[in-house]
mmCIF file of all heavy atoms in Angstrom:
data_model
loop_
_atom_site.group_PDB
_atom_site.id
_atom_site.type_symbol
_atom_site.label_atom_id
_atom_site.label_comp_id
_atom_site.label_asym_id
_atom_site.label_seq_id
_atom_site.Cartn_x
_atom_site.Cartn_y
_atom_site.Cartn_z
ATOM 1 N N ARG A 760 -32.599 -1.790 -38.957
ATOM 2 C CA ARG A 760 -33.766 -2.442 -38.377
ATOM 3 C C ARG A 760 -34.625 -3.070 -39.463
ATOM 4 O O ARG A 760 -35.133 -4.167 -39.297
ATOM 5 C CB ARG A 760 -34.571 -1.400 -37.601
ATOM 6 C CG ARG A 760 -35.828 -1.954 -36.965
ATOM 7 C CD ARG A 760 -36.399 -0.921 -36.043
ATOM 8 N NE ARG A 760 -37.688 -1.347 -35.527
ATOM 9 C CZ ARG A 760 -38.327 -0.707 -34.576
ATOM 10 N NH1 ARG A 760 -37.806 0.351 -34.019
ATOM 11 N NH2 ARG A 760 -39.504 -1.135 -34.150
ATOM 12 N N ALA A 761 -34.737 -2.407 -40.599
ATOM 13 C CA ALA A 761 -35.576 -2.941 -41.675
ATOM 14 C C ALA A 761 -35.030 -4.256 -42.198
ATOM 15 O O ALA A 761 -35.769 -5.210 -42.407
ATOM 16 C CB ALA A 761 -35.670 -1.927 -42.816
ATOM 17 N N SER A 762 -33.702 -4.338 -42.399
ATOM 18 C CA SER A 762 -33.136 -5.592 -42.921
ATOM 19 C C SER A 762 -33.237 -6.697 -41.892
ATOM 20 O O SER A 762 -33.443 -7.862 -42.240
ATOM 21 C CB SER A 762 -31.671 -5.379 -43.328
ATOM 22 O OG SER A 762 -30.888 -5.023 -42.211
ATOM 23 N N ALA A 763 -33.089 -6.366 -40.614
ATOM 24 C CA ALA A 763 -33.216 -7.386 -39.570
ATOM 25 C C ALA A 763 -34.623 -7.936 -39.537
ATOM 26 O O ALA A 763 -34.829 -9.145 -39.427
ATOM 27 C CB ALA A 763 -32.850 -6.791 -38.212
ATOM 28 N N LEU A 764 -35.615 -7.046 -39.647
ATOM 29 C CA LEU A 764 -36.998 -7.496 -39.618
ATOM 30 C C LEU A 764 -37.335 -8.323 -40.854
ATOM 31 O O LEU A 764 -38.077 -9.301 -40.768
ATOM 32 C CB LEU A 764 -37.942 -6.296 -39.527
ATOM 33 C CG LEU A 764 -37.866 -5.494 -38.234
ATOM 34 C CD1 LEU A 764 -38.882 -4.364 -38.270
ATOM 35 C CD2 LEU A 764 -38.112 -6.376 -37.033
ATOM 36 N N ALA A 765 -36.784 -7.937 -41.990
ATOM 37 C CA ALA A 765 -37.037 -8.706 -43.203
ATOM 38 C C ALA A 765 -36.478 -10.110 -43.075
ATOM 39 O O ALA A 765 -37.108 -11.089 -43.492
ATOM 40 C CB ALA A 765 -36.405 -7.998 -44.407
ATOM 41 N N ALA A 766 -35.275 -10.234 -42.488
ATOM 42 C CA ALA A 766 -34.687 -11.556 -42.291
ATOM 43 C C ALA A 766 -35.516 -12.392 -41.350
ATOM 44 O O ALA A 766 -35.724 -13.585 -41.560
ATOM 45 C CB ALA A 766 -33.260 -11.421 -41.754
ATOM 46 N N MET A 767 -36.015 -11.774 -40.281
ATOM 47 C CA MET A 767 -36.854 -12.495 -39.333
ATOM 48 C C MET A 767 -38.141 -12.973 -39.991
ATOM 49 O O MET A 767 -38.601 -14.090 -39.768
ATOM 50 C CB MET A 767 -37.197 -11.611 -38.138
ATOM 51 C CG MET A 767 -36.037 -11.393 -37.200
ATOM 52 S SD MET A 767 -35.509 -12.957 -36.476
ATOM 53 C CE MET A 767 -34.096 -12.393 -35.562
ATOM 54 N N ALA A 768 -38.748 -12.094 -40.801
ATOM 55 C CA ALA A 768 -40.004 -12.469 -41.453
ATOM 56 C C ALA A 768 -39.802 -13.664 -42.367
ATOM 57 O O ALA A 768 -40.647 -14.562 -42.429
ATOM 58 C CB ALA A 768 -40.557 -11.283 -42.240
ATOM 59 N N LEU A 769 -38.675 -13.709 -43.081
ATOM 60 C CA LEU A 769 -38.415 -14.823 -43.980
ATOM 61 C C LEU A 769 -38.188 -16.106 -43.201
ATOM 62 O O LEU A 769 -38.681 -17.176 -43.563
ATOM 63 C CB LEU A 769 -37.189 -14.521 -44.845
ATOM 64 C CG LEU A 769 -36.730 -15.641 -45.782
ATOM 65 C CD1 LEU A 769 -37.821 -15.977 -46.767
ATOM 66 C CD2 LEU A 769 -35.453 -15.253 -46.483
ATOM 67 N N ALA A 770 -37.456 -16.024 -42.093
ATOM 68 C CA ALA A 770 -37.096 -17.227 -41.354
ATOM 69 C C ALA A 770 -38.240 -17.770 -40.515
ATOM 70 O O ALA A 770 -38.404 -18.975 -40.383
ATOM 71 C CB ALA A 770 -35.904 -16.938 -40.444
ATOM 72 N N LEU A 771 -39.041 -16.887 -39.918
ATOM 73 C CA LEU A 771 -40.051 -17.320 -38.954
ATOM 74 C C LEU A 771 -41.381 -17.687 -39.576
ATOM 75 O O LEU A 771 -42.090 -18.545 -39.061
ATOM 76 C CB LEU A 771 -40.286 -16.221 -37.923
ATOM 77 C CG LEU A 771 -39.208 -16.066 -36.865
ATOM 78 C CD1 LEU A 771 -39.503 -14.840 -36.023
ATOM 79 C CD2 LEU A 771 -39.126 -17.295 -36.011
ATOM 80 N N GLY A 772 -41.773 -17.028 -40.648
ATOM 81 C CA GLY A 772 -43.081 -17.291 -41.248
ATOM 82 C C GLY A 772 -42.930 -18.021 -42.557
ATOM 83 O O GLY A 772 -41.954 -17.845 -43.279
ATOM 84 N N ALA A 773 -43.884 -18.860 -42.869
ATOM 85 C CA ALA A 773 -43.843 -19.572 -44.141
ATOM 86 C C ALA A 773 -44.101 -18.613 -45.284
ATOM 87 O O ALA A 773 -44.784 -17.614 -45.141
ATOM 88 C CB ALA A 773 -44.888 -20.681 -44.150
ATOM 89 N N CYS A 774 -43.556 -18.942 -46.436
ATOM 90 C CA CYS A 774 -43.742 -18.102 -47.617
ATOM 91 C C CYS A 774 -45.035 -18.478 -48.317
ATOM 92 O O CYS A 774 -45.780 -19.327 -47.882
ATOM 93 C CB CYS A 774 -42.556 -18.272 -48.560
ATOM 94 S SG CYS A 774 -40.975 -17.813 -47.803
ATOM 95 N N ASP A 775 -45.284 -17.848 -49.460
ATOM 96 C CA ASP A 775 -46.485 -18.135 -50.231
ATOM 97 C C ASP A 775 -46.503 -19.589 -50.679
ATOM 98 O O ASP A 775 -45.482 -20.269 -50.720
ATOM 99 C CB ASP A 775 -46.558 -17.232 -51.472
ATOM 100 C CG ASP A 775 -46.904 -15.813 -51.096
ATOM 101 O OD1 ASP A 775 -47.663 -15.628 -50.146
ATOM 102 O OD2 ASP A 775 -46.391 -14.902 -51.767
ATOM 103 N N ALA A 776 -47.700 -20.038 -51.078
ATOM 104 C CA ALA A 776 -47.872 -21.428 -51.493
ATOM 105 C C ALA A 776 -46.945 -21.751 -52.653
ATOM 106 O O ALA A 776 -46.690 -20.948 -53.531
ATOM 107 C CB ALA A 776 -49.316 -21.677 -51.900
ATOM 108 N N GLY A 777 -46.434 -22.973 -52.660
ATOM 109 C CA GLY A 777 -45.547 -23.404 -53.722
ATOM 110 C C GLY A 777 -45.325 -24.883 -53.620
ATOM 111 O O GLY A 777 -45.780 -25.543 -52.698
ATOM 112 N N ARG A 778 -44.586 -25.442 -54.556
ATOM 113 C CA ARG A 778 -44.341 -26.871 -54.559
ATOM 114 C C ARG A 778 -43.343 -27.250 -53.487
ATOM 115 O O ARG A 778 -42.494 -26.473 -53.094
ATOM 116 C CB ARG A 778 -43.813 -27.294 -55.929
ATOM 117 C CG ARG A 778 -44.845 -27.166 -57.040
ATOM 118 C CD ARG A 778 -44.281 -27.714 -58.333
ATOM 119 N NE ARG A 778 -45.260 -27.677 -59.399
ATOM 120 C CZ ARG A 778 -45.008 -28.125 -60.623
ATOM 121 N NH1 ARG A 778 -43.827 -28.626 -60.922
ATOM 122 N NH2 ARG A 778 -45.949 -28.061 -61.554
ATOM 123 N N ASP A 779 -43.437 -28.489 -53.065
ATOM 124 C CA ASP A 779 -42.455 -29.056 -52.150
ATOM 125 C C ASP A 779 -41.090 -28.969 -52.819
ATOM 126 O O ASP A 779 -40.889 -29.490 -53.911
ATOM 127 C CB ASP A 779 -42.833 -30.516 -51.864
ATOM 128 C CG ASP A 779 -41.788 -31.255 -51.066
ATOM 129 O OD1 ASP A 779 -40.829 -30.619 -50.607
ATOM 130 O OD2 ASP A 779 -41.954 -32.478 -50.911
ATOM 131 N N PRO A 780 -40.085 -28.300 -52.197
ATOM 132 C CA PRO A 780 -38.791 -28.118 -52.862
ATOM 133 C C PRO A 780 -38.049 -29.425 -53.096
ATOM 134 O O PRO A 780 -37.126 -29.466 -53.900
ATOM 135 C CB PRO A 780 -38.019 -27.220 -51.886
ATOM 136 C CG PRO A 780 -38.709 -27.391 -50.580
ATOM 137 C CD PRO A 780 -40.148 -27.623 -50.911
ATOM 138 N N LEU A 781 -38.428 -30.505 -52.415
ATOM 139 C CA LEU A 781 -37.792 -31.792 -52.670
ATOM 140 C C LEU A 781 -38.567 -32.635 -53.665
ATOM 141 O O LEU A 781 -38.202 -33.766 -53.937
ATOM 142 C CB LEU A 781 -37.636 -32.566 -51.355
ATOM 143 C CG LEU A 781 -36.597 -32.015 -50.392
ATOM 144 C CD1 LEU A 781 -36.475 -32.934 -49.183
ATOM 145 C CD2 LEU A 781 -35.242 -31.850 -51.052
ATOM 146 N N GLY A 782 -39.667 -32.093 -54.186
ATOM 147 C CA GLY A 782 -40.449 -32.825 -55.162
ATOM 148 C C GLY A 782 -41.710 -33.407 -54.562
ATOM 149 O O GLY A 782 -41.982 -33.278 -53.376
ATOM 150 N N PRO A 783 -42.526 -34.065 -55.379
ATOM 151 C CA PRO A 783 -43.794 -34.626 -54.914
ATOM 152 C C PRO A 783 -43.585 -35.644 -53.803
ATOM 153 O O PRO A 783 -42.593 -36.372 -53.801
ATOM 154 C CB PRO A 783 -44.375 -35.284 -56.172
ATOM 155 C CG PRO A 783 -43.664 -34.637 -57.311
ATOM 156 C CD PRO A 783 -42.294 -34.308 -56.805
ATOM 157 N N SER A 784 -44.540 -35.682 -52.865
ATOM 158 C CA SER A 784 -44.429 -36.634 -51.766
ATOM 159 C C SER A 784 -45.147 -37.944 -52.063
ATOM 160 O O SER A 784 -45.088 -38.870 -51.267
ATOM 161 C CB SER A 784 -45.025 -36.021 -50.489
ATOM 162 O OG SER A 784 -46.373 -35.652 -50.707
ATOM 163 N N THR A 785 -45.824 -38.029 -53.207
ATOM 164 C CA THR A 785 -46.539 -39.253 -53.568
ATOM 165 C C THR A 785 -45.570 -40.425 -53.647
ATOM 166 O O THR A 785 -44.528 -40.347 -54.286
ATOM 167 C CB THR A 785 -47.229 -39.082 -54.935
ATOM 168 O OG1 THR A 785 -48.095 -37.970 -54.866
ATOM 169 C CG2 THR A 785 -48.004 -40.334 -55.295
ATOM 170 N N GLY A 786 -45.929 -41.501 -52.933
ATOM 171 C CA GLY A 786 -45.091 -42.690 -52.947
ATOM 172 C C GLY A 786 -43.969 -42.637 -51.940
ATOM 173 O O GLY A 786 -43.206 -43.591 -51.816
ATOM 174 N N THR A 787 -43.832 -41.528 -51.212
ATOM 175 C CA THR A 787 -42.791 -41.410 -50.202
ATOM 176 C C THR A 787 -43.331 -41.871 -48.867
ATOM 177 O O THR A 787 -44.400 -41.460 -48.444
ATOM 178 C CB THR A 787 -42.320 -39.949 -50.085
ATOM 179 O OG1 THR A 787 -41.822 -39.545 -51.351
ATOM 180 C CG2 THR A 787 -41.218 -39.812 -49.048
ATOM 181 N N GLU A 788 -42.592 -42.710 -48.177
ATOM 182 C CA GLU A 788 -43.025 -43.202 -46.881
ATOM 183 C C GLU A 788 -43.068 -42.060 -45.888
ATOM 184 O O GLU A 788 -42.146 -41.245 -45.820
ATOM 185 C CB GLU A 788 -42.060 -44.284 -46.382
ATOM 186 C CG GLU A 788 -42.515 -44.933 -45.089
ATOM 187 C CD GLU A 788 -41.553 -46.005 -44.634
ATOM 188 O OE1 GLU A 788 -40.390 -45.966 -45.048
ATOM 189 O OE2 GLU A 788 -41.974 -46.869 -43.863
ATOM 190 N N ALA A 789 -44.152 -41.989 -45.113
ATOM 191 C CA ALA A 789 -44.284 -40.921 -44.131
ATOM 192 C C ALA A 789 -43.272 -41.109 -43.019
ATOM 193 O O ALA A 789 -42.819 -42.205 -42.748
ATOM 194 C CB ALA A 789 -45.697 -40.923 -43.550
ATOM 195 N N PRO A 790 -42.879 -40.000 -42.345
ATOM 196 C CA PRO A 790 -41.974 -40.118 -41.212
ATOM 197 C C PRO A 790 -42.554 -41.056 -40.160
ATOM 198 O O PRO A 790 -43.769 -41.219 -40.040
ATOM 199 C CB PRO A 790 -41.884 -38.679 -40.700
ATOM 200 C CG PRO A 790 -42.251 -37.827 -41.856
ATOM 201 C CD PRO A 790 -43.255 -38.630 -42.632
ATOM 202 N N ASP A 791 -41.680 -41.661 -39.338
ATOM 203 C CA ASP A 791 -42.114 -42.608 -38.317
ATOM 204 C C ASP A 791 -43.217 -42.034 -37.450
ATOM 205 O O ASP A 791 -44.212 -42.689 -37.166
ATOM 206 C CB ASP A 791 -40.932 -42.999 -37.425
ATOM 207 C CG ASP A 791 -39.875 -43.753 -38.202
ATOM 208 O OD1 ASP A 791 -40.199 -44.276 -39.280
ATOM 209 O OD2 ASP A 791 -38.726 -43.805 -37.727
ATOM 210 N N ALA A 792 -43.037 -40.782 -36.976
ATOM 211 C CA ALA A 792 -44.012 -40.186 -36.081
ATOM 212 C C ALA A 792 -45.339 -39.953 -36.768
ATOM 213 O O ALA A 792 -46.366 -39.839 -36.121
ATOM 214 C CB ALA A 792 -43.474 -38.869 -35.533
ATOM 215 N N ALA A 793 -45.321 -39.859 -38.099
ATOM 216 C CA ALA A 793 -46.544 -39.543 -38.825
ATOM 217 C C ALA A 793 -47.319 -40.788 -39.241
ATOM 218 O O ALA A 793 -48.399 -40.681 -39.793
ATOM 219 C CB ALA A 793 -46.203 -38.730 -40.069
ATOM 220 N N ARG A 794 -46.774 -41.970 -38.972
ATOM 221 C CA ARG A 794 -47.444 -43.181 -39.408
ATOM 222 C C ARG A 794 -48.474 -43.677 -38.413
ATOM 223 O O ARG A 794 -49.073 -44.719 -38.600
ATOM 224 C CB ARG A 794 -46.404 -44.272 -39.674
ATOM 225 C CG ARG A 794 -45.575 -43.997 -40.916
ATOM 226 C CD ARG A 794 -44.986 -45.298 -41.455
ATOM 227 N NE ARG A 794 -44.037 -45.889 -40.528
ATOM 228 C CZ ARG A 794 -42.737 -45.705 -40.604
ATOM 229 N NH1 ARG A 794 -42.236 -44.904 -41.509
ATOM 230 N NH2 ARG A 794 -41.926 -46.308 -39.758
ATOM 231 N N GLY A 795 -48.640 -42.923 -37.334
ATOM 232 C CA GLY A 795 -49.705 -43.287 -36.415
ATOM 233 C C GLY A 795 -49.157 -43.928 -35.163
ATOM 234 O O GLY A 795 -47.974 -43.922 -34.871
ATOM 235 N N GLY A 796 -50.090 -44.473 -34.363
ATOM 236 C CA GLY A 796 -49.711 -45.058 -33.095
ATOM 237 C C GLY A 796 -49.756 -44.012 -32.018
ATOM 238 O O GLY A 796 -49.006 -43.053 -32.050
ATOM 239 N N ASN A 797 -50.635 -44.164 -31.068
ATOM 240 C CA ASN A 797 -50.733 -43.245 -29.943
ATOM 241 C C ASN A 797 -50.951 -41.816 -30.391
ATOM 242 O O ASN A 797 -50.354 -40.873 -29.875
ATOM 243 C CB ASN A 797 -49.478 -43.342 -29.062
ATOM 244 C CG ASN A 797 -49.707 -42.743 -27.685
ATOM 245 O OD1 ASN A 797 -50.851 -42.623 -27.239
ATOM 246 N ND2 ASN A 797 -48.639 -42.363 -27.012
ATOM 247 N N GLY A 798 -51.802 -41.650 -31.410
ATOM 248 C CA GLY A 798 -52.161 -40.305 -31.858
ATOM 249 C C GLY A 798 -51.028 -39.532 -32.469
ATOM 250 O O GLY A 798 -51.012 -38.313 -32.471
#
């Protein structure tokens, strides 16, 4: 039960603050849905 709960905690909740694993987002075009239009 302990290992199952540990796996769930890792998968379901975000971890501590850290850098974007793909690198800085500066200069990267935002996803289509994030560029606006109809809220």
